[in-house]
């Protein structure tokens, strides 16, 4: 990221174009590193940088594309694939080109394998991964101490993540939370700090990615919860469902499982996921 930030864009462009044109000298891991560097350096405000990202993504096919996407999601920061495609890539035509390429490669993978590549495990955080201690607005469960991890939950994720192995990287744990993205990684870093601690202690087998919520639905729910009770979280639930649809379009080669509690819209989001017929639209 530092090299890309200080180098002239012509140098970066020549590095990417030259490597791809010369028998694709960049390995999948190098491509993921370049894309992450462009995100971190803030270079994606430039159209040429966004075009370079599209070129790098479309240069990968089948299993290489799946690995590239997982590597981007496994960076351990809020700069993930969802943010890249739906926020950083502001051009709708570029975004459509990326999603069409992803869908085509996923269809071929499913036909070849006769099913899904693996399973993406989507989960809420408060009162699902760890207990809120009944502290509003995080949750209402008082059965365990505040911040206590629910017994057996991380082991369940490890069992269900059949694709993961020490020899083959995969980022299949995805936390879908109501906590909003505010500024840079102010809100997300608290969660990633917890995740890194879990991985370093061996509690969690793989570093997850995080799909944050939206500010306005969360504020509305927090302000009206005393009057509307659980109905206040309907908007949050709809936003979680919309985020799920967008994420699903990024990984059509996977099946999905969702873990949530009975608050903050998880129940509504889960019902919408079950009732979904065919492919839904991406996030509004």
């Amino acid at each position: 990221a530092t090299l890309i930030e200080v180098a002239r864009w012509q140098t970066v462009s020549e590095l990417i174009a030259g490597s791809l044109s010369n028998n694709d000298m960049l390995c999948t891991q190098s491509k993921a590193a370049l894309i992450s560097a462009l995100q971190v350096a803030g270079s994606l405000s430039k159209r040429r940088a966004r075009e370079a990202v599209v070129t790098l993504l479309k240069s990968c096919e089948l299993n290489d594309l799946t690995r590239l996407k997982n590597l981007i999601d496994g960076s351990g920061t809020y700069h993930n694939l969802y943010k890249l495609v739906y926020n950083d890539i502001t051009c709708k035509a570029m975004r459509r080109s990326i999603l069409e390429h992803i869908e085509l490669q996923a269809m071929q993978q499913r036909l070849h394998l006769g099913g899904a590549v693996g399973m993406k495990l989507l989960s809420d955080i408060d009162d699902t991964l760890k207990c809120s201690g009944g502290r509003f607005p995080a949750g209402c469960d008082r059965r365990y101490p505040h911040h206590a991890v629910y017994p057996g939950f991380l082991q369940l994720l490890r069992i269900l993540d059949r694709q993961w192995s020490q020899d083959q990287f995969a980022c299949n744990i995805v936390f879908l939370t109501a906590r909003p993205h505010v500024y840079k990684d102010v809100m997300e870093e608290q969660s990633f700090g917890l995740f890194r601690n879990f991985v370093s202690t061996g509690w969690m087998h793989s570093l997850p990615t995080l799909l944050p919520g939206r500010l306005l639905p969360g504020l509305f729910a927090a302000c009206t919860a005393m009057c509307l009770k659980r109905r206040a979280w309907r908007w949050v639930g709809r936003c979680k469902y919309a985020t799920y649809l967008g994420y699903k379009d990024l990984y059509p080669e996977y099946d999905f499982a969702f873990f949530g509690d009975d608050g903050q819209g998880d129940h509504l989001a889960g019902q919408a996921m079950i009732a979904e017929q065919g492919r839904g639209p991406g996030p509004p």
Side-chain angles (χ1 to χ4, degrees), residues 245-259:
L245 289 178
Y247 185 76
K248 181 183 175 186
D249 282 345
L250 299 176
Y251 287 98
E253 69 269 37
Y254 282 82
D255 288 335
F256 293 83
F258 176 65
F259 301 88

Side-chain angles (χ1 to χ4, degrees), residues 98-113:
I98 292 171
L99 292 175
E100 288 175 352
H101 178 68
I102 288 174
E103 182 179 13
L104 177 62
Q105 300 305 312
M107 289 175 58
Q108 294 181 24
Q109 284 179 285
R110 280 185 172 269
L111 285 173
H112 177 71
L113 296 174

Side-chain angles (χ1 to χ4, degrees), residues 51-69:
E51 291 174 345
V53 167
V54 174
T55 301
L56 287 169
L57 286 170
K58 295 180 71 173
S59 69
C60 291
E61 298 179 346
L62 302 174
N63 291 336
D64 285 340
L65 180 60
T66 296
R67 185 163 185 264
L68 175 64
K69 294 186 295 183

Side-chain angles (χ1 to χ4, degrees), residues 193-243:
L194 178 68
F195 302 154
R196 284 191 289 267
N197 182 56
F198 285 166
V199 172
S200 64
T201 56
W203 287 16
M204 185 180 287
H205 66 281
S206 176
L207 190 64
T209 192
L210 180 69
L211 303 180
R214 301 182 184 178
L215 183 59
L216 289 181
L219 283 176
F220 175 83
C223 294
T224 60
M226 293 296 292
C227 300
L228 298 179
K229 305 299 181 183
R230 290 187 178 181
R231 290 180 298 167
W233 297 97
R234 286 183 178 179
W235 198 9
V236 174
R238 293 190 184 104
C239 287
K240 285 189 174 184
Y241 175 60
T243 301

